[in-house]
Amino acid sequence: MSVLITGGAGYIGSHTVIEMLAAGYDVVVADNFYNSKPESIRRVKTLAGKEFPFYQCDIRDKDGLSEIFRKHRIDAVIHFAGLKAVGESVEKPLEYYDCNVGGTLTLCEVMRDAGCKRIVFSSSATVYGSFNPSPLKEDMQTGAVTNPYGRTKYMIEEILKDICRSDNEWTAVLLRYFNPIGAHISGQIGEDPNGIPNNLMPYVSQVAIGKLQQLSIYGDDYDTADGTGVRDYIHVADLALGHVKAVDYALKNKGAEAINLGTGTGYSVLDIVKAFEEANGIKVPYKIAPRRSGDIATCFSDPSKAKRLLGWQAQRNIDDMCRDSWRWQSQNPSGYDGLG
């Protein structure tokens, strides 16, 4: 079975390529390197001990995508490619709708024309909005999102549901991620954000290594145990394995299915800082800053549907996440630009 992975050079995509190859799938990867580096592809091939076709292609490039489908018999697609920064999406909504929504439409048109009707979509817990209580469950109302990034994920979910309703040959598995952190146990691939990180763990790691002076914790007056925001953090390797299971499921079932990928456990920002310090023996200086608009106190998943339908559940704990994050950062202080 051959699977096209869009955005396969990125953080989650690169880890998923490794796990898909380990599971025996043939993999074809497409990425435009907007938020990723060619070095990640080289390292994935080394870690996997396998070659695979790679195409530098934007998902909005219909001719480029069509050429991939002409050259390869693709049985399913894992769709990661897209813009992903919440703050940037507020500043550049047109770019986000064009890339994320427009790119997905182009991809689905090419898939339809090629007779490939199975897609695993990289969605997000942001589709639940800010009004649903945790633990978040797949049957809760979605759509009351607070930023263009989240709105693109919600729109794409609805588009894929409509496609499945219109043609019962289609399968769409909508994987709603919570907060991916960690890195491959080798320390060879991990999260390498452009500029100042938007997410907590790479920010903590860059403070620990001295690239950034201190961590800003946005708000310590939430209704949580220590006043800081609580989130469901999941190891990226567990998340990658969830995609293997989702492809297995998509090959045997029809229709659209939304599935959470999380641990079901909430950790506060200070929990993460303390766990990182204890796991790695490094102090992480921080300051308390004002709350950010749109942030909520608590957000964690009910992951039981993933266990029931996919036979998947997270295996790695918060100490694993912190140790693996630091191994990646300490071995690659400049990310992929340091070339090891």
Side-chain angles (χ1 to χ4, degrees):
M1 287 289 180
S2 186
V3 178
L4 171 64
I5 302 180
T6 72
Y11 174 44
I12 304 170
S14 58
H15 289 80
T16 301
V17 171
I18 287 178
E19 297 299 344
M20 289 295 291
L21 289 169
Y25 282 97
D26 294 323
V27 167
V28 178
V29 177
D31 200 297
N32 68 355
F33 294 132
Y34 176 81
N35 195 33
S36 58
K37 306 281 172 52
E39 176 66 10
S40 72
I41 293 294
R42 189 190 70 77
R43 294 191 187 187
V44 165
K45 289 180 176 181
T46 300
L47 288 169
K50 294 179 181 177
E51 286 291 322
F52 51 84
F54 173 80
Y55 295 87
Q56 187 170 347
C57 179
D58 191 292
I59 53 168
R60 292 165 291 188
D61 178 359
K62 190 169 187 177
D63 290 341
L65 286 176
S66 297
E67 183 67 15
I68 294 172
F69 278 86
R70 274 195 295 271
K71 287 184 175 179
H72 306 276
R73 178 179 168 78
I74 305 295
D75 297 292
V77 174
I78 303 178
H79 180 31
F80 292 110
L83 301 176
K84 62 177 186 176
V86 168
E88 184 184 61
S89 77
V90 176
E91 299 166 4
K92 300 178 178 180
L94 287 176
E95 287 86 344
Y96 271 68
Y97 290 119
D98 176 49
C99 179
N100 294 8
V101 180
T104 302
L105 289 173
T106 300
L107 173 64
C108 288
E109 288 171 359
V110 172
M111 290 175 63
R112 177 197 60 198
D113 294 346
C116 175
K117 297 183 177 182
R118 302 181 186 100
I119 185 169
V120 173
F121 172 56
S122 168
S123 191
S124 166
T126 57
V127 301
Y128 289 111
S130 55
F131 302 115
N132 288 309
S134 290
L136 296 167
K137 301 180 180 181
E138 292 87 349
D139 59 0
M140 289 178 169
Q141 186 171 347
T142 58
V145 291
T146 57
N147 56 75
Y149 163 75
R151 207 162 286 118
T152 66
K153 294 295 187 183
Y154 169 70
M155 287 179 174
I156 294 166
E157 282 199 6
E158 294 302 303
I159 289 166
L160 293 174
K161 289 176 187 175
D162 284 340
I163 292 172
C164 289
R165 290 188 194 103
S166 72
D167 181 348
N168 61 16
E169 289 299 305
W170 274 86
T171 306
V173 184
L174 317 172
L175 295 180
R176 294 174 179 169
Y177 308 162
F178 281 71
N179 294 69
I181 59 175
H184 192 269
I185 194 168
S186 67
Q188 287 298 295
I189 60 170
E191 189 167 10
D192 184 22
N194 291 330
I196 295 176
N198 293 297
N199 299 325
L200 176 61
M201 186 57 81
Y203 207 115
V204 168
S205 298
Q206 290 192 15
V207 170
I209 208 164
K211 284 184 73 173
L212 297 172
Q213 185 177 3
Q214 63 183 354
L215 172 69
S216 293
I217 296 177
Y218 297 103
D220 64 348
D221 57 350
Y222 287 104
D223 184 17
T224 62
D226 60 25
T228 63
V230 170
R231 299 291 183 268
D232 187 337
Y233 295 93
I234 177 172
H235 198 294
V236 66
D238 281 332
L239 193 64
L241 287 166
H243 290 77
V244 177
K245 296 292 190 181
V247 171
D248 294 344
Y249 178 88
L251 292 170
K252 300 170 185 172
N253 295 275
K254 301 296 183 186
E257 200 70 64
I259 303 175
N260 289 337
L261 291 184
T263 65
T265 301
Y267 292 98
S268 74
V269 176
L270 285 176
D271 286 336
I272 295 293
V273 172
K274 290 171 186 173
F276 187 94
E277 290 178 337
E278 290 174 5
N280 301 307
I282 297 168
K283 288 296 290 182
V284 178
Y286 65 84
K287 66 176 181 179
I288 303 299
R291 291 187 184 192
R292 293 181 298 194
S293 176
D295 278 355
I296 59 176
T298 301
C299 173
F300 62 92
S301 70
D302 176 346
S304 58
K305 187 175 180 180
K307 185 175 182 180
R308 187 174 73 253
L309 290 190
L310 306 183
W312 172 93
Q313 63 185 120
Q315 301 296 320
R316 295 160 180 83
N317 62 29
I318 195 67
D319 294 330
D320 299 322
M321 300 179 207
C322 291
R323 276 194 298 268
D324 292 343
S325 294
W326 178 240
R327 186 182 298 109
W328 154 254
Q329 185 69 73
S330 59
Q331 290 183 16
N332 303 271
S334 299
Y336 291 117
D337 289 334
L339 301 184

